Structure formats: C-alpha cells, structure tokens
C-alpha cells in the first residue's frame, strides 16, 4: 500500500470523510487528524477486519500562535481548544474529540517551539502514529514525516530521534504499546526495537 492507496481507503470510508468534513468546518489553520484515526484504519484493513476498531477519541491538531495566552501554555487544554471540541461534539455527538494547538505543544514535549503541525506530528512517539490526514479545498492530503512504510508494514517502533525527544520519559513507547493493547488487537503487528533512519 502506497500513499495514494491509503488516501483512497479513506475516501471510500463515509464515516472518516464525515469526520474530516466536520473538522473542515472549523477553518483551523494547518489542521490534521492523526494518530489512531489513520493508524487503526490501516491496521484494520491489513487484518481483514470487517468492523471498525473503536477509537478512544479523534486527535485533531492545528497550528495557531495567536489563540492562546501565556498562562495557557501549561494547561491540558485551552478555552479555545475546548470550544472547538464542543463544536465538533455537536456535529458528531457519538465521538470523543481531542483538539490541540501544536503552537504550544513544545512545552509538554520538552523541545524547541514547533513551526508547523507536521513538525509536531513528527515527534509523536511511534512512527505509525506520525501520520495525519486533512482536507484542503475538499482535497484529501496526507502528512507522514517519517513515511508510511512502518504503518503499512505493521511495524511498531519508536521515531528515529526517540532517545533525544523522550529523554524525559524514556518508557513512554513501551507503556503505550502495553496500555493500548495493540499487539492483542492487531496480532500481525511486529514490535521493532531498532528505530529507522529518518526518511525526510
């Protein structure tokens, strides 16, 4: 499966396109839906599952330097982010939403400020999670800063610079794999201990 085939999978999924169109109505700058939204879809398809594996929430990210105050930098969510989540909940009530402005997420990630949402997306702990999708002028586009090879290859492994990015929390990857029960939900997954070389 290449990027084109992945996008076609999403385009043919009415539920996913409905979610994307709902987020599009917010007119967020530099927005993407990432993490399990794309990852679980691919893994379900590669496991020949007929039913969708439930998502705990839908992760929406965007980048806006102007919609939060200094005191919001260290909060779990800002009033603006909460407002976006409520609006999305009104549009699709049976879904939990997580909306975060990546212009402030360098704080919990213990890194320098990000310049774009994709730059922030590249720091998510495992490569298969660092894949986002968006609608720009009703055209579906993909952001995959580490490529999609691990995602479609059913490989679970840390991002290339994990040791540096997660020096403050080195057990995050192992804990996520265990707590999210990925290996039981998708038994074809392969746990890889060696990080890949950066692709981009």
């Amino acid at each position: 499966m290449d990027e084109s085939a992945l996008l076609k999978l999403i385009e043919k999924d009415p539920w996913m396109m409905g979610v994307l169109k709902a987020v599009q109505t917010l007119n967020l700058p530099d927005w993407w839906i990432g993490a399990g939204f794309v990852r679980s879809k691919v893994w379900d398809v590669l496991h020949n599952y007929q039913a969708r594996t439930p998502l705990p929430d839908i992760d929406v990210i965007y980048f806006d330097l102007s919609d939060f105050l200094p005191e919001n930098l260290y909060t779990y969510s800002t009033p603006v982010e909460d407002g976006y989540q409520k609006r999305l909940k009104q549009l699709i009530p049976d879904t939990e939403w997580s909306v975060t402005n990546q212009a402030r997420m360098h704080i919990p990630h213990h890194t320098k400020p990000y310049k774009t949402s994709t730059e922030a997306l590249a720091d998510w702990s495992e490569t298969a999670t660092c894949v986002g999708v968006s609608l720009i002028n009703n055209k579906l586009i993909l952001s995959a800063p580490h490529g999609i090879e691990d995602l479609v290859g059913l490989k679970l492994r840390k991002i290339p610079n994990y040791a540096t990015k997660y020096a403050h929390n080195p057990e995050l990857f192992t804990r996520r794999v265990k707590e999210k029960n990925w290996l039981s939900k998708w038994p074809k997954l392969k746990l890889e201990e060696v990080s890949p070389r950066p692709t981009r």
Side-chain angles (χ1 to χ4, degrees):
M1 183 188 304
D2 58 14
E3 292 188 5
S4 177
L6 196 161
L7 289 173
K8 286 180 181 178
L9 275 182
I10 297 172
E11 288 175 346
K12 292 179 180 179
D13 187 317
W15 178 80
M16 295 186 80
M17 291 304 297
V19 168
L20 284 156
K21 289 175 181 177
V23 177
Q24 186 180 38
T25 66
L26 300 181
N27 294 314
L28 296 172
D30 191 13
W31 71 269
W32 303 87
I33 306 179
F37 184 71
V38 178
R39 184 191 62 219
S40 295
K41 173 66 174 181
V42 172
W43 289 350
D44 281 350
V45 168
L46 294 177
H47 280 75
N48 297 313
Y49 293 166
Q50 300 304 308
R52 183 188 315 280
T53 299
L55 296 174
D57 59 16
I58 294 177
D59 290 287
V60 180
I61 64 173
Y62 69 102
F63 193 92
D64 188 346
L65 289 166
S66 66
D67 79 353
F68 60 90
L69 299 172
E71 55 264 34
N72 298 144
L73 278 172
Y74 298 91
T75 59
Y76 181 76
S77 63
T78 70
V80 174
E81 292 166 357
D82 289 339
Y84 288 139
Q85 289 170 177
K86 289 177 182 177
R87 287 169 62 182
L88 290 169
K89 189 73 172 176
Q90 290 173 345
L91 292 172
I92 306 182
D94 60 349
T95 297
E96 296 302 317
W97 298 90
S98 172
V99 181
T100 51
N101 184 352
Q102 301 303 296
R104 68 182 189 88
M105 293 308 290
H106 60 287
I107 299 296
H109 287 175
H110 299 266
T111 190
K112 64 182 181 180
Y114 297 120
K115 297 177 182 178
T116 66
S117 287
T118 293
E119 192 174 282
L121 181 66
D123 273 358
W124 292 4
S125 57
E126 54 280 336
T127 55
T129 298
C130 302
V131 181
V133 66
S134 185
L135 274 177
I136 304 298
N137 297 322
N138 290 314
K139 181 180 179 181
L140 198 61
I141 60 173
L142 193 72
S143 177
H146 300 298
I148 65 167
E149 290 80 9
D150 285 350
L151 173 63
V152 301
L154 296 170
K155 295 178 181 178
L156 265 179
R157 56 180 167 186
K158 303 170 185 174
I159 58 173
N161 53 351
Y162 180 91
T164 299
K165 292 294 182 180
Y166 290 93
H168 63 286
N169 191 7
E171 298 304 316
L172 177 65
F173 173 81
T174 302
R175 188 169 66 250
R176 279 172 55 81
V177 172
K178 181 179 179 180
E179 291 177 353
K180 292 181 178 293
N181 205 26
W182 284 330
L183 295 172
S184 294
K185 291 180 180 177
W186 296 281
K188 293 180 182 179
L189 290 176
K190 300 176 286 290
L191 190 60
E192 302 279 344
E193 293 299 327
V194 179
S195 296
R197 294 180 179 177
T199 57
R200 301 177 187 183

